[in-house]
């Protein structure tokens, strides 16, 4: 919590502080990742993560096969398959990052909304 958050917290009464604590201040990265799998897009994010794990597994299998075969054509074939699936796995993983940022912005907007409502109510 920075200096401004502390100043806001000091001016609030117990009920207002409890409401703001429910909304929360800043989340840790693990809490942000956990929030990906709840809410409206939770099922979509679960399926994206499952797809990422499957693609990564296929990519690892193809890379393992690439090192086992002896023919150059087979090495190239398995190497390209491994490269494709590992890149798709990385792209799927990076696809979750905008959801984290959107959730973070929504929490910040809710907190700001709450603070404005509290200031308006005190006037």
């Amino acid at each position: 919590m920075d200096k401004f958050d502390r100043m806001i917290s000091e001016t609030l009464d117990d009920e207002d502080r409890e409401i703001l604590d429910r909304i929360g201040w800043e989340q840790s990265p693990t809490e942000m990742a956990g929030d990906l799998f709840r809410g409206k897009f939770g099922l979509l994010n679960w399926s994206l993560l499952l797809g990422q794990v499957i693609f990564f597994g296929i990519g690892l299998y193809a890379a393992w096969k690439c090192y086992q075969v002896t023919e150059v054509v087979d090495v190239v074939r398995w190497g390209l398959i491994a490269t494709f699936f590992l890149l798709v796995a990385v792209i799927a993983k990076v696809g979750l990052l905008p959801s984290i940022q959107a959730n973070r912005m929504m929490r910040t907007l809710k907190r700001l909304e709450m603070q404005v409502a509290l200031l308006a109510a005190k006037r």
Side-chain angles (χ1 to χ4, degrees), residues 14 16 26-28 40-41 55 88-90 93 109 114:
D14 291 335
D16 298 337
E26 193 67 31
Q27 286 184 313
S28 71
K40 291 180 182 178
F41 295 106
F55 288 138
V88 169
V90 168
K93 180 70 80 179
L109 285 174
M114 180 66 186

Side-chain angles (χ1 to χ4, degrees), residues 12-66:
L12 300 175
D13 60 9
D14 291 335
E15 181 182 341
D16 298 337
R17 191 174 294 116
E18 180 184 327
I19 293 170
L20 273 178
D21 285 340
R22 254 187 295 147
I23 294 172
W25 295 98
E26 193 67 31
Q27 286 184 313
S28 71
T30 53
E31 291 171 331
M32 283 188 243
D35 279 349
L36 279 177
F37 306 110
R38 291 187 281 269
K40 291 180 182 178
F41 295 106
L43 184 61
L44 177 68
N45 289 334
W46 271 113
S47 61
L48 189 59
L49 183 67
L50 178 66
Q52 186 267 335
V53 168
I54 290 170
F55 288 138
F56 185 72
I58 293 171
L60 284 180
Y61 174 76
W64 179 64
K65 287 294 277 187
C66 178

